[in-house]
């Protein structure tokens, strides 16, 4: 029942993401009409002697389709932050629209990251520790539950990390909007669905390889491990791994591990809304692999594998798939349920 509930949750989230993507494959979502839809007498904003229907219209210079990626980001900002906030931020930035735009992106990212972190971890927390079937998972293997002190420590560290961690998406948005990457916005731009699928697979494969080696370097480089990554590996027992540990790390640790999502944009063409959704997916995935509940479908690098990484340090560096660990000799498969008998790890040749 517990696994079925988690599977239904994952399926629902996946469906929402897919539906969102299909609305912006063939048109430059959200188009231009949204500025008129949010306009009222109260949203009128004057900047540089020109009157705009809203502060968000000023940020786009009343030409939303000229830079589709910026239009997309401003639209998302308008959902999270009311028009009066945008107007105030422009004033705080001395009327500099560029600074104001990226300040609003930072605020949106921070609020969005908190919603995803607390929302996703909260749901996983219920199904891991509160749902009636969870007692069986712990009782059968005589597993201790994570303490309230452990969870509170992870929440505090994650919250502090977020202040810096969400700067990476701002840099990402700047690079894309300046047209310095291979990012595109509609399927027509890239030549059709076949090319979209090809480049999407190549992009995700490159990200997966990049994250594997970045994560591995954070272990093999003594300075990086001691000063950056070790903070996250304080959670080195099954009873200290929880969904709340997903981003309980040094902010530089999170930025380095997520940087392949940005770096790959300079190498492989990527559909921008797909890229945006993958960043959301990554946050949800990080929650799942830290719950230490053993749910896994090979070749997915699920929680049973990532628990081994935390307890044994030098194995299972991958993010979503086991391929890189299998190829480079670092994959270890646990032979016993987490928290049960002493683990014997099976080496994969």
């Amino acid at each position: 029942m517990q696994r079925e509930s988690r599977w239904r949750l994952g399926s629902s989230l996946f469906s929402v993401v897919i539906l969102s993507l299909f609305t912006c494959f063939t048109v430059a979502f959200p188009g231009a009409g949204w500025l008129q839809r949010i306009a009222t007498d109260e949203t009128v904003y004057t900047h540089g002697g020109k009157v705009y229907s809203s502060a968000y219209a000023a940020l786009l210079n009343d030409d939303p389709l000229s830079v589709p990626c910026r239009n997309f980001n401003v639209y998302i900002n308008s959902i999270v932050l009311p028009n009066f906030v945008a107007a105030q931020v422009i004033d705080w930035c001395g009327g500099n629209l560029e600074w104001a735009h990226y300040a609003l992106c930072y605020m949106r990212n921070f609020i969005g990251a908190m919603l995803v972190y607390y929302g996703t971890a909260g749901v996983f927390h219920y199904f891991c520790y509160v749902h009636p079937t969870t007692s069986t998972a712990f009782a059968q293997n005589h597993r201790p539950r994570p303490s309230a002190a452990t969870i509170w420590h992870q929440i505090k560290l994650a919250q502090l990390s977020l202040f810096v961690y969400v700067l990476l998406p701002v840099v990402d948005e700047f690079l894309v909007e300046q047209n310095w990457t291979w990012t595109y916005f509609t399927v027509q731009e890239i030549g059709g669905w076949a090319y979209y699928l090809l480049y999407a697979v190549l992009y995700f494969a490159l990200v997966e390889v990049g994250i594997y080696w970045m994560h591995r370097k954070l272990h093999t480089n003594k300075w990086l491990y001691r000063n950056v990554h070790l903070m996250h590996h304080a959670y080195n027992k099954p009873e200290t791994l929880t969904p709340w540990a997903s981003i309980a790390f040094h902010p530089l640790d999170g930025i380095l591990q997520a940087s392949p999502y940005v770096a790959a944009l300079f190498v492989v063409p990527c559909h921008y809304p797909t890229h945006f959704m993958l960043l959301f997916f990554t946050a949800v995935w990080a929650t799942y692999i830290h719950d230490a509940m053993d749910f896994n479908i090979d070749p997915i690098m699920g929680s049973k594998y990532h628990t081994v990484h935390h307890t044994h340090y030098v194995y299972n560096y991958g993010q979503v798939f086991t391929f890189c660990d299998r190829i480079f000799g670092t994959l270890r498969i646990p032979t016993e349920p987490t928290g049960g008998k002493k683990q014997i790890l099976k080496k994969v040749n």
Side-chain angles (χ1 to χ4, degrees):
M1 179 65 70
Q2 180 187 7
R3 291 188 176 185
E4 290 177 358
S5 299
R6 295 173 67 202
W7 182 257
R8 286 197 296 270
L9 170 65
S11 298
S12 298
L13 289 171
F14 180 75
S15 298
V16 170
V17 170
I18 292 299
L19 287 172
S20 299
L21 287 176
F22 272 89
T23 63
C24 51
F25 274 127
T26 57
V27 296
F29 181 84
W34 72 272
L35 286 174
Q36 283 70 48
R37 290 194 295 271
I38 68 168
T40 67
D41 291 341
E42 288 75 27
T43 63
V44 173
Y45 183 76
T46 302
H47 179 268
K50 183 177 178 179
V51 179
Y52 296 91
S53 62
S54 66
Y56 286 111
L59 290 167
L60 292 168
N61 196 29
D62 267 341
D63 188 14
L65 299 184
S66 62
V67 184
C69 289
R70 172 165 293 203
N71 186 38
F72 180 88
N73 283 319
V74 173
Y75 172 72
I76 299 298
N77 291 351
S78 74
I79 296 174
V80 178
L81 302 164
N83 182 75
F84 75 86
V85 173
Q88 186 62 65
V89 170
I90 294 173
D91 292 343
W92 286 341
C93 293
N96 188 312
L97 297 179
E98 285 294 301
W99 281 102
H101 170 60
Y102 292 112
L104 289 164
C105 285
Y106 172 83
M107 294 168 65
R108 175 255 289 173
N109 291 339
F110 184 72
I111 294 170
M114 284 200 300
L115 290 173
V116 171
Y117 174 67
Y118 288 104
T120 307
V123 171
F124 273 80
H125 181 101
Y126 172 78
F127 286 107
C128 289
Y129 311 126
V130 180
H131 193 279
T133 59
T134 63
S135 58
T136 304
F138 288 94
Q140 283 183 344
N141 294 313
H142 305 288
R143 285 182 59 181
R145 291 175 179 269
S147 67
T150 295
I151 292 174
W152 180 233
H153 182 272
Q154 292 169 353
I155 291 173
K156 289 189 292 183
L157 179 55
Q159 184 62 65
L160 288 172
S161 176
L162 276 178
F163 284 101
V164 180
Y165 182 45
V166 296
L167 284 171
L168 180 64
V170 178
V171 173
D172 174 272
E173 289 147 9
F174 172 78
L175 294 171
V176 171
E177 290 178 8
Q178 298 303 311
N179 202 29
W180 292 345
T181 68
W182 285 95
T183 310
Y184 63 95
F185 209 82
T186 64
V187 171
Q188 289 91 332
E189 293 176 56
I190 203 65
W193 286 99
Y195 283 104
Y196 166 80
L197 292 172
L198 172 63
Y199 287 129
V201 171
L202 288 175
Y203 172 77
F204 195 76
L206 186 60
V207 168
E208 186 73 15
V209 172
I211 290 176
Y212 171 87
W213 282 107
M214 180 61 74
H215 192 182
R216 186 166 175 174
K217 180 58 69 175
L218 284 164
H219 279 262
T220 58
N221 183 290
K222 293 181 179 179
W223 188 92
L224 286 174
Y225 185 75
R226 184 174 61 252
N227 294 285
V228 178
H229 197 50
L230 180 60
M231 186 179 293
H232 186 60
H233 273 276
Y235 315 118
N236 57 8
K237 298 181 178 67
E239 60 268 28
T240 62
L241 282 170
T242 81
W244 303 98
S246 60
I247 55 172
F249 46 38
H250 190 294
L252 181 59
D253 189 354
I255 288 172
L256 288 173
Q257 291 202 60
S259 62
Y261 279 100
V262 181
L265 296 176
F266 291 92
V267 182
V268 180
C270 185
H271 180 243
Y272 184 69
T274 301
H275 168 70
F276 190 89
M277 292 297 178
L278 281 174
L279 297 179
F280 167 81
F281 162 78
T282 300
V284 176
W285 188 260
T287 304
Y288 154 59
I289 63 175
H290 285 91
D291 68 12
M293 297 302 288
D294 285 351
F295 181 72
N296 207 90
I297 300 175
D298 290 319
I300 302 298
M301 180 62 72
S303 54
K304 77 172 184 180
Y305 287 112
H306 198 71
T307 299
V308 168
H309 174 73
H310 273 264
T311 57
H312 292 75
Y313 301 101
V314 294
Y315 306 127
N316 301 356
Y317 296 106
Q319 182 200 22
V320 176
F321 294 104
T322 61
F323 299 133
C324 286
D325 284 284
R326 188 178 295 273
I327 291 169
F328 298 114
T330 53
L331 181 64
R332 296 297 185 274
I333 301 174
T335 58
E336 301 290 340
T338 296
K341 299 176 183 179
K342 184 177 179 181
Q343 284 284 11
I344 299 175
L345 303 181
K346 179 182 177 181
K347 183 178 180 180
V348 179
N349 297 321

